[in-house]
Protein backbone atom coordinates (compact mmCIF):
# COMPACT_ATOMS: atom_id res chain seq x y z
CA UNK A 1 0.00 0.00 0.00
CA UNK A 2 1.43 3.30 -1.04
CA UNK A 3 -1.13 5.29 0.91
CA UNK A 4 0.48 8.19 2.67
CA UNK A 5 -1.19 9.11 5.91
CA UNK A 6 -1.40 12.61 7.32
CA UNK A 7 0.32 13.60 10.55
CA UNK A 8 -3.05 13.67 12.30
CA UNK A 9 -3.99 10.20 11.09
CA UNK A 10 -0.60 8.85 12.12
CA UNK A 11 -0.98 10.43 15.55
CA UNK A 12 -4.41 8.84 16.08
CA UNK A 13 -3.01 5.55 14.90
CA UNK A 14 -0.12 5.81 17.37
CA UNK A 15 -2.49 6.36 20.29
CA UNK A 16 -4.50 3.27 19.40
CA UNK A 17 -1.39 1.19 18.65
CA UNK A 18 0.28 2.11 21.93
CA UNK A 19 -2.80 0.94 23.82
CA UNK A 20 -2.74 -2.37 21.94
CA UNK A 21 0.97 -2.79 22.63
CA UNK A 22 0.64 -1.99 26.33
CA UNK A 23 -2.38 -4.28 26.66
CA UNK A 24 -0.57 -7.12 24.85
CA UNK A 25 -3.36 -6.97 22.26
CA UNK A 26 -5.98 -7.68 24.91
CA UNK A 27 -9.14 -5.59 25.31
CA UNK A 28 -7.90 -4.06 28.57
CA UNK A 29 -4.64 -3.64 30.46
CA UNK A 30 -3.99 -4.50 34.07
CA UNK A 31 -2.41 -2.14 36.59
CA UNK A 32 1.09 -3.47 36.01
CA UNK A 33 0.80 -3.05 32.24
CA UNK A 34 -0.57 0.43 32.84
CA UNK A 35 2.36 1.38 35.08
CA UNK A 36 4.83 0.12 32.51
CA UNK A 37 3.03 2.13 29.82
CA UNK A 38 3.18 5.27 31.99
CA UNK A 39 6.91 4.91 32.63
CA UNK A 40 7.73 4.23 28.99
CA UNK A 41 5.27 6.42 27.16
CA UNK A 42 4.46 9.25 29.56
CA UNK A 43 7.66 9.56 31.61
CA UNK A 44 7.14 13.24 32.50
CA UNK A 45 3.64 12.55 33.80
CA UNK A 46 4.77 9.30 35.38
CA UNK A 47 7.19 11.21 37.61
CA UNK A 48 4.27 13.14 39.11
CA UNK A 49 2.57 9.89 40.07
CA UNK A 50 4.26 8.75 43.22
CA UNK A 51 3.67 5.44 44.90
CA UNK A 52 0.51 3.39 45.29
CA UNK A 53 -1.50 6.39 46.38
CA UNK A 54 -0.59 8.50 43.35
CA UNK A 55 -1.41 5.64 41.03
CA UNK A 56 -4.75 5.04 42.74
CA UNK A 57 -5.59 8.70 42.30
CA UNK A 58 -4.79 8.65 38.57
CA UNK A 59 -6.85 5.50 38.08
CA UNK A 60 -9.74 7.08 39.94
CA UNK A 61 -9.56 10.20 37.75
CA UNK A 62 -9.66 7.92 34.73
CA UNK A 63 -12.87 6.36 36.02
CA UNK A 64 -11.26 3.01 36.85
CA UNK A 65 -12.92 1.33 39.78
CA UNK A 66 -10.98 -0.59 42.40
CA UNK A 67 -9.77 -3.93 41.00
CA UNK A 68 -10.97 -3.07 37.51
CA UNK A 69 -8.75 -3.30 34.44
CA UNK A 70 -8.06 -0.31 32.22
CA UNK A 71 -10.11 -0.09 29.03
CA UNK A 72 -9.41 1.99 25.96
CA UNK A 73 -12.02 4.44 27.21
CA UNK A 74 -10.18 4.85 30.52
CA UNK A 75 -6.90 5.26 28.68
CA UNK A 76 -8.51 7.86 26.46
CA UNK A 77 -9.51 10.04 29.43
CA UNK A 78 -5.80 10.21 30.31
CA UNK A 79 -4.83 11.15 26.75
CA UNK A 80 -7.60 13.72 26.76
CA UNK A 81 -6.27 15.24 29.98
CA UNK A 82 -2.72 15.34 28.60
CA UNK A 83 -3.90 17.00 25.38
CA UNK A 84 -5.99 19.60 27.21
CA UNK A 85 -3.10 20.39 29.56
CA UNK A 86 -0.79 20.77 26.58
CA UNK A 87 -3.31 22.88 24.70
CA UNK A 88 -3.77 25.03 27.80
CA UNK A 89 -0.03 25.54 28.17
CA UNK A 90 0.44 26.33 24.48
CA UNK A 91 -2.46 28.71 24.27
CA UNK A 92 -3.10 31.54 26.66
CA UNK A 93 -6.87 31.44 26.44
CA UNK A 94 -8.01 28.44 28.36
CA UNK A 95 -11.24 28.03 26.53
CA UNK A 96 -11.38 24.30 26.89
CA UNK A 97 -14.02 22.74 29.01
CA UNK A 98 -14.61 19.08 29.10
CA UNK A 99 -17.00 18.39 31.89
CA UNK A 100 -17.71 14.92 30.65
CA UNK A 101 -14.20 13.74 31.40
CA UNK A 102 -12.04 13.81 34.50
CA UNK A 103 -14.43 15.74 36.66
CA UNK B 1 17.17 20.31 24.40
CA UNK B 2 18.17 16.72 23.96
CA UNK B 3 14.96 15.40 25.48
CA UNK B 4 13.64 12.49 23.53
CA UNK B 5 9.90 12.19 23.56
CA UNK B 6 7.98 8.93 23.44
CA UNK B 7 5.74 8.01 20.52
CA UNK B 8 2.69 8.67 22.68
CA UNK B 9 3.92 12.11 23.74
CA UNK B 10 4.74 12.98 20.13
CA UNK B 11 1.29 11.84 19.03
CA UNK B 12 -0.44 14.02 21.63
CA UNK B 13 1.77 16.89 20.62
CA UNK B 14 0.85 16.40 16.97
CA UNK B 15 -2.87 16.55 17.75
CA UNK B 16 -2.47 19.84 19.61
CA UNK B 17 -0.08 21.29 17.03
CA UNK B 18 -2.37 20.43 14.12
CA UNK B 19 -5.22 22.28 15.83
CA UNK B 20 -2.99 25.33 16.33
CA UNK B 21 -1.87 25.20 12.70
CA UNK B 22 -5.40 24.84 11.34
CA UNK B 23 -6.65 27.63 13.61
CA UNK B 24 -3.79 29.93 12.59
CA UNK B 25 -2.79 29.99 16.25
CA UNK B 26 -6.16 31.37 17.27
CA UNK B 27 -8.27 29.88 20.07
CA UNK B 28 -10.84 28.50 17.61
CA UNK B 29 -11.11 27.76 13.90
CA UNK B 30 -13.87 28.85 11.58
CA UNK B 31 -15.77 26.52 9.25
CA UNK B 32 -13.48 27.20 6.30
CA UNK B 33 -10.36 26.45 8.35
CA UNK B 34 -12.08 23.32 9.63
CA UNK B 35 -12.90 22.14 6.11
CA UNK B 36 -9.31 22.71 5.00
CA UNK B 37 -8.08 20.77 8.03
CA UNK B 38 -10.44 17.88 7.22
CA UNK B 39 -9.28 17.70 3.59
CA UNK B 40 -5.61 17.85 4.50
CA UNK B 41 -5.46 15.92 7.73
CA UNK B 42 -8.40 13.53 7.63
CA UNK B 43 -8.82 12.89 3.89
CA UNK B 44 -10.44 9.48 4.29
CA UNK B 45 -13.04 10.85 6.69
CA UNK B 46 -13.38 14.01 4.63
CA UNK B 47 -14.58 11.95 1.65
CA UNK B 48 -17.52 10.70 3.71
CA UNK B 49 -18.58 14.25 4.45
CA UNK B 50 -20.42 15.41 1.37
CA UNK B 51 -21.62 18.93 0.78
CA UNK B 52 -23.04 21.49 3.18
CA UNK B 53 -25.39 18.97 4.74
CA UNK B 54 -22.66 16.48 5.54
CA UNK B 55 -20.51 19.18 7.05
CA UNK B 56 -23.41 20.50 9.14
CA UNK B 57 -24.00 16.99 10.46
CA UNK B 58 -20.36 16.54 11.48
CA UNK B 59 -20.32 19.91 13.21
CA UNK B 60 -23.52 19.04 15.06
CA UNK B 61 -22.04 15.73 16.21
CA UNK B 62 -19.04 17.66 17.49
CA UNK B 63 -21.35 19.86 19.55
CA UNK B 64 -20.80 22.96 17.42
CA UNK B 65 -23.85 25.19 17.35
CA UNK B 66 -24.96 27.04 14.23
CA UNK B 67 -22.64 29.96 13.51
CA UNK B 68 -20.24 28.95 16.27
CA UNK B 69 -16.52 28.50 15.70
CA UNK B 70 -14.74 25.23 16.43
CA UNK B 71 -12.89 25.03 19.74
CA UNK B 72 -10.21 22.55 20.75
CA UNK B 73 -12.89 20.71 22.71
CA UNK B 74 -15.05 20.32 19.60
CA UNK B 75 -12.03 19.22 17.61
CA UNK B 76 -11.23 16.71 20.30
CA UNK B 77 -14.64 15.02 20.03
CA UNK B 78 -13.80 14.34 16.38
CA UNK B 79 -10.39 12.90 17.27
CA UNK B 80 -12.05 10.84 19.97
CA UNK B 81 -14.55 9.44 17.46
CA UNK B 82 -11.76 8.61 14.99
CA UNK B 83 -9.74 6.87 17.67
CA UNK B 84 -12.70 4.85 18.93
CA UNK B 85 -13.61 3.82 15.38
CA UNK B 86 -10.02 2.78 14.76
CA UNK B 87 -9.83 0.93 18.07
CA UNK B 88 -13.13 -0.79 17.24
CA UNK B 89 -11.85 -1.88 13.84
CA UNK B 90 -8.53 -3.09 15.23
CA UNK B 91 -10.05 -4.97 18.13
CA UNK B 92 -12.94 -7.37 17.87
CA UNK B 93 -14.43 -6.62 21.27
CA UNK B 94 -16.11 -3.27 21.05
CA UNK B 95 -15.89 -2.52 24.72
CA UNK B 96 -15.64 1.20 24.30
CA UNK B 97 -18.47 3.37 25.44
CA UNK B 98 -18.24 7.06 25.54
CA UNK B 99 -21.72 8.38 26.09
CA UNK B 100 -20.44 11.84 26.86
CA UNK B 101 -19.22 12.37 23.32
CA UNK B 102 -20.91 12.19 19.95
CA UNK B 103 -24.22 10.86 21.14
Amino acid sequence: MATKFSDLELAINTLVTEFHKSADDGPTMNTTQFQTMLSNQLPAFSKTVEGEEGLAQVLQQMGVESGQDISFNHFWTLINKQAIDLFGSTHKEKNVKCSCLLQ
Side-chain angles (χ1 to χ4, degrees), chain A:
Chain A
M1 294 278 285
T3 311
K4 199 177 171 303
F5 293 103
S6 74
D7 291 343
L8 199 70
E9 287 171 326
L10 290 174
I12 295 170
N13 191 55
T14 298
L15 296 176
V16 174
T17 308
E18 288 301 331
F19 180 89
H20 284 317
K21 271 196 227 167
S22 304
D24 262 341
D25 284 329
T28 57
M29 58 177 109
N30 61 36
T31 318
T32 311
Q33 290 171 322
F34 179 68
Q35 276 181 297
T36 308
M37 189 278 290
L38 277 191
S39 309
N40 295 341
Q41 291 294 325
L42 294 171
F45 175 72
S46 178
K47 278 179 200 153
T48 69
V49 182
E50 288 191 36
E52 291 276 316
E53 206 179 317
L55 181 70
Q57 206 175 358
V58 171
L59 291 172
Q60 195 193 10
Q61 285 176 332
M62 289 164 62
V64 181
E65 293 186 27
S66 182
Q68 202 184 11
D69 279 347
I70 293 112
S71 69
F72 184 72
N73 193 24
H74 294 136
F75 168 76
W76 191 257
T77 63
L78 181 66
I79 302 300
N80 183 63
K81 171 86 166 51
Q82 300 294 312
I84 286 176
D85 285 353
L86 182 60
F87 181 76
S89 69
T90 54
H91 202 283
K92 292 290 186 305
E93 284 173 65
K94 295 206 174 190
N95 65 334
V96 176
K97 275 187 194 168
C98 196
S99 59
C100 59
L101 298 168
L102 289 177
Q103 287 177 334

